[in-house]
Each structure stands twice: as structure tokens, then as C-alpha cells.
């Protein structure tokens, strides 16, 4: 293959095949849906154990949102430069080498999305007991994944409508909860104004460690980059969708934690996983847990839908580049990649039945952070090595914003290496396996006669 202007082998086109039919509103919905899962409803209890301050907690979530925005600015620049679906697979391949891109794509396409889908589905099954008390959680979990996958198989137009409606419903339910919390909740003696003691909390180790888990709750801000090829005017709309979506989630997260602290005593929240249910019981009484459970349950549908949409696009784009994966690149008349969707559905279903998704999530975290780190570092690299490349959108606040993201992400990787060395090592082994598989696939591709592969572009 000929050399590209980034110095690495050229890829077969800058845009994935298919029509660009996704509006900026739907792209925003995908970002919001992918970000808002169960993390924000469960993590506060572990934060207030060591940070019993309303101001420090809200600052913690604000800082997490600002770091996510720093990532948005960098990914926005790369997305506008290389408007092709698949996220890190595309960006790392362009900024460094296709082998690096394949490693990121390998992690995402095999378990990177399937494991979070399975986790969200299992959470749906557990919270679904609030609506259907006698239904087995596993049946609900498998059912919602298959239902959402069927919607995705119908095509991009129906997926867009479903995603938009489901995400709007999610946001409306959260806003309704917030309003009820502030109006009906009995105010607790917690102050959201800064005090002298807050400085001690902010510079403490628990604050830094809590930021790691806050950043996990903010993950998904880059969701729109996985469907760039389907977004109208992607050079403009993808950066805009990530920015608007992340700002919406930042406001929702800060407001939710404020409501939790406003409605429930800190000593009742400390160390508890189900802080949303505890808060709901103080707002709505004995039925509060059921109301909150139903809210989270319905909200998870849009999260699963977003991941079942964007995840298969990685395998689809990889199929466009490597002949051995070519079936995954095929699209239906509605624009959906059916084989890629069915592949992710199969992996997620297997994880649900074997309950392996929790273990998989543990050892892919380092790999995902590693890929995000080098993607943002790629913005700096390309600014230095290829300053003349067209940049329809330039990262706001460069070089400060990418450096902030790199520092926080670097700290998160250091935390995982020191606290979970075995899981981090397994994550590295997954990436190495992807590198080996790329070598095998690349060798086979090079052996394909030119006449047989002339239809690639």
C-alpha cells in the first residue's frame, strides 16, 4: 500500500461507506446515552466516606467533566481531520501506524463494547425488578440486548429515532427526579459553599483516587467519533455533538450529586452502593426505591442502544481495511452492518450467560485508557510532525487541554498498574494479541492478488 501523508500506510478512504444521515441532535443523544449509565447513581457513597463535604464533592464531579471536555477538544480535532467511523482505530492508525489502530480496534470490537453492554444489561435486569418483581434478571438482561439489537438491525433511520426518543426520555426522567428532589426533599445540613477545610479535602489522596472513578462515569464522551461516517457534516457536527453532550452530562452529574446530598444524610450514604435508592426513599417515601429503580432501568435502555450502535462500527471499518474481515463491512439497505451487530450481540450474550463481563471489564480498563492516552497524544504529535494538514476544527486551549487530559489519564493508568497489576497486565496481553493477529491478517492481505482486491476503494 502507498504511504499516506502521515507517514504510515494509506487506508482505503477517509470515510466509511454508507450515507451520512445522522443529525447532530442524534449524535448528541448518542454521547449522552453512552455516558450516563449506573456510575453516577452508585459512586457517591464511596466518595463521601473520605470527602464529607458538599462543595468538595461537587468540585470533584466538575473537575471530572472539565477533564472529559479536554479530551473532547482533542478528539474533535482528529475527528474533523480524519472523518471516518471507528474512533481510536481510525485515529491511532492515522497518527501512528495502522498496527496501533488495529490493536485499539481489536480491543473495542471484541470485548471493549460487549462487556459494558453486558454490564448495563445485567444492571437493567436488577433494576427491572422494580417494575417486574417476578422476572428473572438474566431474562430481562438478555431480552433488552436482543430487543435493542433488532432495532439496530433495521437500519440507521430507525436506530436514530429510537436513540433520540430513548435518550430524551432518560434526560426527562432525570430532570424530573432532580426537580422532585429539590422541591420535596427535606434539606440536609450540608453546605455547597467553600470552606477552609475544603482545601485539605481537595489536595488529599482520596480526592485524586475518587477522580479516577468519576472519570469512569464520564467515559463515553467520545461516542460520536465511532459513527463519524454516518453523521451529516462530520467536520463540524461531531466536535459539536461531543461538546454539547458532555456539557449536558456535566450539568446532570453535578445536579444529581447535589440532590443526593441535599435529600439524604451523609452518614446514611457513606459506604453505600445504592445512593440513588436511598435518596429516592427520602424524597418519595417507601416507594422511592421502586421509582428510582424504574428511572435507572429505563435510562439504561438508551445506554445499551448507543453501545450496540457504535461498537459494531469498529468491526465494520476494520472489515473495510482487511479482506479477512470483509463480511463485517457489509451493510444492509438501511445502512446497518448486520454481521458486525450480530457479532457484538453474540459476545455480549455469552458474557451474560457466563457472568464473565465483570472480569473482562476489570482487565480492559487499562487497555482502553492506554488507547485514549495515545489518541490525545497523537494530536500533539501531528501538530509537530504534520503542521500543514487541514484542520477544519482545532482543539480549543491547545496545548493546555490535551496536557491536562494526558496528566489525569496517566495518573489513572498509574493507579491501575499499582492497585490492579494483574488486571492491567492482562489488558496489555490483549493488546499484544491484537498486534499478533494484525501481523497474520496483514500477511494474508499482502498475499491477495491485486485483481482480487481491486474493489477495496
Amino acid at each position: 500500500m502507498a504511504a499516506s501523508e502521515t507517514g504510515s500506510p494509506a487506508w482505503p478512504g477517509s470515510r466509511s461507506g454508507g450515507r451520512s444521515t445522522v443529525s447532530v441532535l442524534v449524535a448528541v443523544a448518542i454521547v449522552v446515552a453512552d455516558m450516563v449509565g449506573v456510575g453516577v447513581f452508585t459512586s457517591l457513597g464511596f466518595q463521601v466516606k473520605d470527602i464529607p463535604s458538599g462543595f468538595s464533592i461537587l468540585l470533584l464531579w466538575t473537575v471530572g467533566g472539565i477533564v472529559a471536555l479536554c479530551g473532547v477538544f482533542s478528539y474533535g480535532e482528529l475527528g474533523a481531520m480524519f472523518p471516518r467511523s471507528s474512533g481510536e482505530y481510525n485515529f491511532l492508525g492515522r497518527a501512528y501506524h495502522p498496527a496501533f489502530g488495529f490493536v485499539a480496534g481489536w480491543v473495542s470490537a471484541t470485548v471493549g463494547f460487549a462487556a459494558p453492554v453486558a454490564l448495563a444489561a445485567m444492571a437493567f435486569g436488577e433494576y427491572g425488578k422494580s417494575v417486574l418483581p417476578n422476572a428473572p434478571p438474566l431474562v430481562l438482561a438478555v431480552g433488552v440486548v436482543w430487543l435493542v439489537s433488532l432495532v439496530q438491525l433495521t437500519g440507521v433511520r430507525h436506530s436514530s429515532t429510537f436513540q433520540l426518543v430513548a435518550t430524551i426520555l432518560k434526560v426527562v426522567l432525570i430532570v424530573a427526579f432532580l426537580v422532585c428532589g429539590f422541591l420535596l426533599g427535606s434539606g440536609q445540613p450540608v453546605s455547597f459553599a467553600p470552606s477552609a477545610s475544603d482545601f485539605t479535602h481537595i489536595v488529599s489522596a482520596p480526592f485524586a483516587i475518587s477522580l479516577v472513578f468519576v472519570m469512569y462515569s464520564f467515559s463515553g464522551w467520545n461516542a460520536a467519533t465511532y459513527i463519524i461516517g454516518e453523521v451529516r457534516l462530520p467536520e463540524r457536527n461531531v466536535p459539536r455533538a461531543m461538546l454539547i453532550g458532555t456539557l449536558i452530562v456535566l450539568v446532570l452529574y453535578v445536579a444529581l450529586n447535589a440532590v443526593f446530598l441535599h435529600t439524604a444524610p451523609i452518614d446514611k450514604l457513606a459506604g453505600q452502593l445504592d445512593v440513588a435508592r436511598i435518596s429516592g426513599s427520602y424524597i418519595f417515601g417507601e416507594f422511592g426505591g421502586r421509582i428510582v429503580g424504574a428511572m435507572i432501568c429505563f435510562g439504561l435502555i438508551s445506554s445499551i442502544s448507543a453501545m450496540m450502535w457504535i461498537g459494531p462500527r469498529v468491526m465494520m471499518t476494520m472489515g473495510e481495511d482487511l479482506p479477512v474481515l470483509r463480511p463485517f463491512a457489509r451493510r444492509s439497505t438501511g445502512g446497518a452492518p448486520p454481521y458486525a451487530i450480530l457479532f457484538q450481540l453474540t459476545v455480549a450474550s455469552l458474557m451474560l450467560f457466563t457472568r464473565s463481563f465483570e472480569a473482562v471489564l476489570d482487565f480492559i480498563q487499562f487497555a482502553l485508557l492506554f488507547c485514549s492516552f495515545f489518541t490525545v497524544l497523537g494530536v500533539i504529535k501531528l501538530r509537530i510532525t504534520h503542521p500543514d494538514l487541514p484542520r477544519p476544527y482545532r482543539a480549543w486551549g491547545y496545548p493546555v487541554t490535551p496536557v491536562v487530559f494526558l496528566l489525569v489519564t496517566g495518573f489513572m493508568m498509574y493507579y491501575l498498574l499499582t492497585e490492579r497489576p494483574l488486571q492491567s497486565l492482562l489488558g496489555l496481553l490483549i493488546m499484544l494479541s491484537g498486534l499478533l493477529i494484525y501481523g497474520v491478517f496483514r500477511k494474508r492481505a499482502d498475499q491477495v492478488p491485486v485483481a482480487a482486491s481491486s474493489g477495496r476503494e
Side-chain angles (χ1 to χ4, degrees):
M1 302 175 75
S4 71
E5 53 191 346
T6 63
S8 58
W11 291 21
S14 61
R15 297 282 295 277
S16 294
R19 295 165 292 178
S20 300
T21 59
V22 175
S23 68
V24 66
L25 186 60
V26 174
V28 170
I30 289 174
V31 173
V32 173
D34 196 28
M35 291 178 74
V36 183
V38 295
V40 69
F41 299 105
T42 57
S43 56
L44 177 64
F46 302 99
Q47 295 162 5
V48 294
K49 283 178 62 178
D50 300 307
I51 313 173
S53 161
F55 173 79
S56 297
I57 290 293
L58 297 192
L59 180 64
L60 174 68
W61 286 88
T62 302
V63 170
I66 292 172
V67 175
L69 286 172
C70 290
V72 164
F73 299 138
S74 291
Y75 271 64
E77 177 169 318
L78 291 174
M81 290 173 67
F82 310 121
R84 192 183 192 214
S85 296
S86 69
E88 289 84 5
Y89 170 70
N90 176 37
F91 299 151
L92 293 174
R94 294 284 184 171
Y96 301 97
H97 190 277
F100 199 172
F102 183 89
V103 168
W106 172 251
V107 175
S108 296
T110 52
V111 294
F113 282 99
V117 164
L119 176 65
M122 205 64 230
F124 174 89
E126 295 295 337
Y127 285 109
K129 292 186 293 187
S130 301
V131 183
L132 300 170
N134 298 321
L138 181 59
V139 172
L140 292 176
V142 174
V144 71
V145 174
W146 279 77
L147 176 63
V148 167
S149 299
L150 288 174
V151 174
Q152 296 300 328
L153 287 168
T154 60
V156 174
R157 186 168 65 87
H158 293 105
S159 299
S160 298
T161 303
F162 182 84
Q163 188 67 58
L164 188 58
V165 171
T167 306
I168 289 175
L169 177 61
K170 170 190 277 192
V171 174
V172 167
L173 288 173
I174 292 175
V175 171
F177 176 80
L178 293 173
V179 172
C180 291
F182 284 119
L183 293 181
L184 304 178
S186 55
Q188 300 296 319
V190 60
S191 174
F192 297 115
S195 64
S197 62
D198 282 313
F199 180 76
T200 304
H201 294 309
I202 294 168
V203 297
S204 67
F207 190 93
I209 294 171
S210 294
L211 182 59
V212 172
F213 296 97
V214 166
M215 290 306 302
Y216 287 141
S217 296
F218 274 101
S219 62
W221 47 264
N222 59 344
T225 63
Y226 292 92
I227 58 163
I228 293 178
E230 297 171 2
V231 178
R232 299 172 194 156
L233 302 174
E235 294 85 354
R236 182 183 68 183
N237 287 337
V238 168
R240 182 182 298 177
M242 288 192 294
L243 176 60
I244 296 172
T246 304
L247 286 172
I248 290 173
V249 173
L250 171 57
V251 172
L252 291 178
Y253 279 3
V254 172
L256 277 169
N257 282 279
V259 164
F260 296 155
L261 293 169
H262 173 73
T263 55
I266 286 183
D267 63 317
K268 299 293 184 182
L269 297 172
Q272 300 301 311
L273 186 66
D274 53 347
V275 291
R277 184 197 60 78
I278 296 171
S279 175
S281 66
Y282 278 90
I283 299 171
F284 303 108
E286 60 178 304
F287 294 107
R290 182 167 294 185
I291 293 172
V292 171
M295 176 188 72
I296 297 174
C297 186
F298 284 117
L300 285 168
I301 295 175
S302 69
S303 298
I304 296 169
S305 174
M307 289 185 284
M308 285 304 304
W309 184 343
I310 63 181
R313 269 53 182 184
V314 180
M315 184 65 85
M316 177 196 74
T317 308
M318 292 169 70
E320 294 172 357
D321 297 338
L322 295 169
V324 71
L325 299 176
R326 186 62 46 79
F328 294 109
R330 294 176 184 169
R331 286 176 176 260
S332 66
T333 54
Y339 294 112
I341 293 172
L342 291 173
F343 175 80
Q344 182 165 302
L345 172 62
T346 301
V347 177
S349 299
L350 287 173
M351 288 183 176
L352 280 171
F353 285 116
T354 60
R355 298 286 301 196
S356 61
F357 58 89
E358 294 171 331
V360 171
L361 281 169
D362 271 345
F363 65 73
I364 65 170
Q365 293 296 344
F366 184 85
L368 297 177
L369 287 172
F370 185 89
C371 293
S372 294
F373 181 92
F374 279 94
T375 298
V376 172
L377 186 63
V379 174
I380 299 175
K381 174 186 178 295
L382 290 174
R383 286 282 190 106
I384 296 171
T385 59
H386 293 83
D388 298 327
L389 280 177
R391 289 174 171 81
Y393 169 85
R394 299 177 74 88
W396 183 88
Y398 178 91
V400 175
T401 50
V403 169
V404 167
F405 182 86
L406 291 173
L407 288 174
V408 174
T409 306
F411 172 75
M412 293 172 70
M413 289 194 292
Y414 170 78
Y415 173 81
L416 286 177
L417 281 171
T418 54
E419 296 296 319
R420 299 179 179 179
L422 177 60
Q423 292 91 333
S424 300
L425 177 61
L426 288 172
L428 287 171
L429 289 177
I430 286 183
M431 289 191 287
L432 287 175
S433 70
L435 192 60
L436 292 174
I437 291 170
Y438 174 82
V440 174
F441 285 176
R442 186 71 269 156
K443 184 177 181 180
R444 289 185 179 180
D446 291 340
Q447 292 173 349
V448 175
V450 175
S453 60
S454 59
R456 289 188 61 166
E457 303 193 13

